[in-house]
């Protein structure tokens, strides 16, 4: 079997790393339920993160979706604020997104290969990996996955097609991504019935007029068909409700199909390049547990803000020890209204530049921030809520603000306010 080699190719040295607990988020806003978080969101480089997870999760993850940088040689920006409408530039600004910039293909493969090795180790014996790339590097990656999983474990090459404008005039427009699917063994989950789609109207018409049409058995038109290996989903565009402003966000429909096909409710789904969090959000919505990570605070907080309001199990937020936490002071204005026996907690959102959401720990233990009640910037219309109802809580309290502003996500935990204005 041909093997792809290059001078610096190597497996990762095991990295000793620790994941530090930052906080726990209860996205449904229903307080502190007794159960432990089943979902994990981790800030940091995914090599030390996956190495640290190995003790508890080696051979335990049922489905991994990997959507790494594509070798596109671009530096992506994020749209911050109510950034859906480019006709209203006052409502958004550009901030740092993530970098997909490499000296050459070798340095890109030096990033990708060791991470694929770790993902392979974390996958359960019945697990599946989806690797999402495009024409820039997918053909190199195919050889790496053949080497790791074995050629026989290659399940599908999915072509995800979409439309969109393109400046290209000297070649065909490049409007598809490629998703490679590999299974760890012959025994894997594939829920064909969970992803059936309607037959197209021509097929329905043909078989309605003659059941003998086609080559063999008449299809069960009511049950629908298992999709082909080419999928059409529109890209997440400006006016889509699901849009977060995070660059290269993938459509929810795409992830829904992947997660339904290759996992079952209660399974563990991981995405170590989670970006805006499409995979973890959909996994949680479909009753799966998740582990997700990203190098960027902005990605982590975008993922959290998408989870807020969903009735899902709590999320444990951890930080890989080498990451510095950018904590910046919020303006020292006395806009907080707080005392341990007040029934309401209020802020004036307008004094915060681009405050994305704020959250309260209504029973602060002086140590771990537990975000039990959140106010999130609504989509498109409406203002961020300025008041949070605290009736029923009479312990100490802490508040955290998250602003997706400028080049950094800024967070600040404020505690034990007694002053009011
Ligand atoms: C293509 S985007 C993922 C988009 C995501 N699937 C979505 O739907 O929003 C790739 C992500 O990988 C992250 N990333 C790049 N290198 C990483 C690393 N070494 N460890 C963890 N995350 C990394 C980037 O910050 C970026 O958010």
């Amino acid at each position: 079997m041909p093997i792809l080699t290059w001078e610096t190719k190597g497996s990762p040295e095991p990295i000793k790393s620790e994941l530090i607990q930052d906080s726990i988020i209860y996205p449904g806003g229903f307080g502190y339920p007794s159960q432990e978080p089943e979902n994990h969101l981790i800030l940091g480089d995914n090599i030390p993160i996956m190495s640290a997870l190995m003790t508890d999760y080696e051979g335990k993850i049922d489905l991994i979706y990997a959507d790494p940088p594509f070798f596109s040689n671009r530096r992506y920006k994020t749209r911050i604020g109510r950034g859906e409408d480019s006709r209203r530039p006052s409502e958004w600004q550009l901030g740092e997104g993530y970098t997909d910039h490499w000296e050459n293909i070798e340095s890109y493969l030096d990033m990708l290969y060791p991470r694929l090795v770790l993902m392979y180790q974390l996958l359960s014996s019945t697990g599946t990996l989806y690797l999402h790339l495009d024409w820039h590097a997918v053909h190199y990656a195919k050889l790496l996955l053949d080497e790791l999983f074995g050629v026989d474990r290659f399940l599908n090459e999915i072509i995800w097609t979409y439309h969109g404008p393109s400046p290209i005039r000297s070649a065909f427009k490049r409007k598809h991504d490629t998703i490679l699917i590999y299974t760890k063994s012959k025994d894997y989950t594939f829920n064909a019935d969970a992803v059936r789609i309607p037959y197209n109207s021509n097929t329905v018409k043909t078989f309605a007029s003659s059941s003998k049409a086609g080559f063999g058995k008449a299809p069960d038109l009511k049950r629908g068909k298992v999709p082909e290996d080419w999928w059409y989903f529109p890209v997440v565009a400006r006016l889509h409700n699901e849009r977060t402003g995070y660059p290269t966000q993938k459509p929810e429909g795409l992830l829904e199909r992947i997660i339904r096909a290759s996992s079952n409710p209660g399974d563990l789904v991981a995405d170590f390049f989670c970006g805006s969090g499409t995979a973890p959000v959909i996994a949680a919505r479909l009753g799966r547990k998740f582990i997700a990570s990203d190098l960027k605070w902005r990605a982590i907080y975008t993922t959290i803000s998408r989870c807020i309001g969903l009735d899902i199990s709590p999320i444990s937020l951890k930080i890989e020890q080498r990451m510095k936490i950018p904590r910046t002071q919020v303006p020292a204005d006395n806009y907080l209204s707080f005392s341990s026996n007040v029934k309401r907690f209020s802020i004036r959102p307008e004094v915060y530049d681009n405050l994305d959401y704020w959250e309260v720990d209504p029973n602060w233990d002086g140590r771990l921030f537990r975000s039990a009640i959140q106010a999130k910037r609504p989509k498109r219309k409406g203002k961020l809520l300025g008041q949070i109802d605290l009736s029923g809580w009479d312990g100490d309290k802490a508040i955290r603000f998250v602003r997706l502003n400028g080049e950094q996500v800024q967070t600040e935990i404020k505690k034990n306010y007694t002053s009011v204005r």
Side-chain angles (χ1 to χ4, degrees):
M1 188 183 89
I3 295 226
L4 181 65
T5 53
W6 62 99
E7 211 174 309
T8 45
K9 182 179 184 183
S11 291
E13 291 293 314
I15 297 178
K16 274 217 153 85
S17 177
E18 217 186 304
L19 306 180
I20 299 159
Q21 182 81 55
D22 175 88
S23 44
I24 298 178
I25 291 114
Y26 299 90
F30 39 69
Y32 296 173
S34 52
Q35 93 249 45
E36 279 301 296
E38 290 184 322
N39 301 314
H40 299 272
L41 194 53
I42 310 163
L43 172 75
D45 183 329
N46 49 23
I47 286 214
I49 289 174
M50 286 191 270
S51 310
L53 291 173
M54 214 47 88
T55 328
D56 291 336
Y57 291 98
E58 184 168 10
K60 298 259 173 67
I61 299 180
D62 300 294
L63 167 63
I64 299 182
Y65 170 74
D67 179 21
F70 282 13
F71 190 54
S72 64
N73 275 325
R74 291 189 48 194
R75 294 176 210 279
Y76 293 100
K77 296 277 186 198
T78 304
R79 265 197 195 186
I80 305 156
R82 306 262 308 280
E84 299 89 359
D85 195 340
S86 29
R87 291 163 302 185
R88 299 213 185 103
S90 61
E91 290 192 353
W92 54 272
Q93 55 181 284
L94 285 180
E96 187 196 9
Y98 72 92
T99 299
D100 181 9
H101 205 271
W102 312 89
E103 218 168 280
N104 48 39
I105 186 69
E106 286 87 347
S107 60
Y108 175 78
L109 294 174
D110 283 340
M111 179 282 288
L112 189 63
Y113 181 64
R115 289 169 172 83
L116 295 176
V117 173
L118 291 167
M119 287 182 211
Y120 178 80
Q121 291 167 5
L122 287 167
L123 264 188
S124 75
S125 57
T126 53
T128 308
L129 170 75
Y130 284 66
L131 178 63
H132 189 146
L133 290 171
D134 73 1
W135 60 274
H136 289 94
V138 70
H139 305 94
Y140 298 100
K142 169 81 174 58
L143 290 174
L144 299 180
L145 291 177
D146 282 347
E147 173 194 325
L148 288 173
F149 284 77
V151 188
D152 294 347
R153 300 280 65 82
F154 177 42
L155 188 70
N156 272 125
E157 176 189 54
I158 301 296
I159 302 298
W160 167 39
T161 64
Y162 41 83
H163 297 294
S166 163
I168 292 181
R169 294 288 172 271
S170 54
F172 296 110
K173 295 207 270 181
R174 300 190 175 99
K175 293 294 165 195
H176 78 269
D177 289 6
T178 305
I179 304 172
L180 302 174
I181 312 178
Y182 282 75
T183 62
K184 188 98 172 241
S185 71
K186 278 189 190 147
D187 180 18
Y188 58 88
T189 301
F190 190 79
N191 301 314
D193 287 342
V195 290
R196 284 182 187 276
I197 52 173
Y199 283 95
N200 77 33
S201 53
N202 283 342
T203 311
V204 174
K205 265 191 226 140
T206 310
F207 281 96
S209 61
S210 156
S211 60
K212 294 217 167 61
F215 297 110
K217 248 172 63 184
D220 183 339
L221 295 175
K222 279 215 187 84
R223 198 159 70 128
K225 63 175 176 177
V226 177
E228 288 80 7
D229 59 2
W230 45 269
W231 303 351
Y232 176 80
F233 289 98
V235 282
V236 183
R238 188 160 57 81
L239 291 171
H240 282 143
N241 243 337
E242 61 191 79
R243 176 161 157 134
T244 63
Y246 198 84
T248 71
Q249 179 185 343
K250 302 303 179 296
E252 295 189 357
L254 181 85
L255 268 301
E256 211 175 299
R257 184 172 290 174
I258 292 172
I259 291 167
R260 281 187 193 281
S262 295
S263 70
N264 294 307
D267 277 1
L268 181 57
V269 175
D271 179 351
F272 296 103
F273 295 94
C274 75
S276 69
T278 315
V281 167
I282 301 299
R285 276 208 326 231
L286 295 174
R288 280 69 167 166
K289 295 174 274 192
F290 70 73
I291 300 180
S293 73
D294 202 284
L295 207 47
K296 298 283 180 185
W297 267 117
R298 193 185 303 287
I300 297 296
Y301 279 122
T302 305
T303 302
I304 293 175
S305 71
R306 285 177 85 178
C307 287
I308 288 174
L310 300 182
D311 188 8
I312 62 173
S313 162
I315 303 167
S316 153
L317 174 57
K318 295 204 172 83
I319 298 171
E320 201 275 312
Q321 61 188 349
R322 267 155 287 207
M323 299 297 287
K324 288 214 174 69
I325 311 169
R327 294 217 190 279
T328 325
Q329 289 299 312
V330 286
D333 191 0
N334 191 7
Y335 37 72
L336 298 166
S337 146
F338 194 141
S339 88
S340 52
N341 57 1
V342 291
K343 299 271 177 289
R344 225 171 257 150
F345 199 128
S346 50
I347 62 157
R348 298 211 319 267
E350 63 276 14
V351 302
Y352 289 95
D353 193 17
N354 274 316
L355 184 63
D356 207 57
Y357 63 93
W358 58 291
E359 44 195 344
V360 177
D361 180 345
N363 219 354
W364 167 253
D365 66 3
R367 207 176 42 84
L368 180 67
F369 185 82
R370 290 161 190 261
S371 160
I373 312 174
Q374 303 92 3
K376 169 177 149 174
R377 182 183 291 285
K379 283 254 164 213
R380 292 163 196 271
K381 293 249 155 43
K383 291 206 164 73
L384 183 66
L385 210 65
Q387 280 193 341
I388 282 181
D389 184 4
L390 290 173
S391 37
W393 297 93
D394 52 11
D396 271 355
K397 301 186 174 55
I399 179 169
R400 177 160 69 180
F401 301 98
V402 178
R403 292 186 291 163
L404 302 181
N405 191 10
E407 290 303 298
Q408 275 190 335
V409 171
Q410 299 167 353
T411 78
E412 176 75 2
I413 296 179
K414 296 218 159 215
K415 337 173 212 284
N416 296 339
Y417 269 72
T418 50
S419 57
V420 178
R421 193 180 79 176

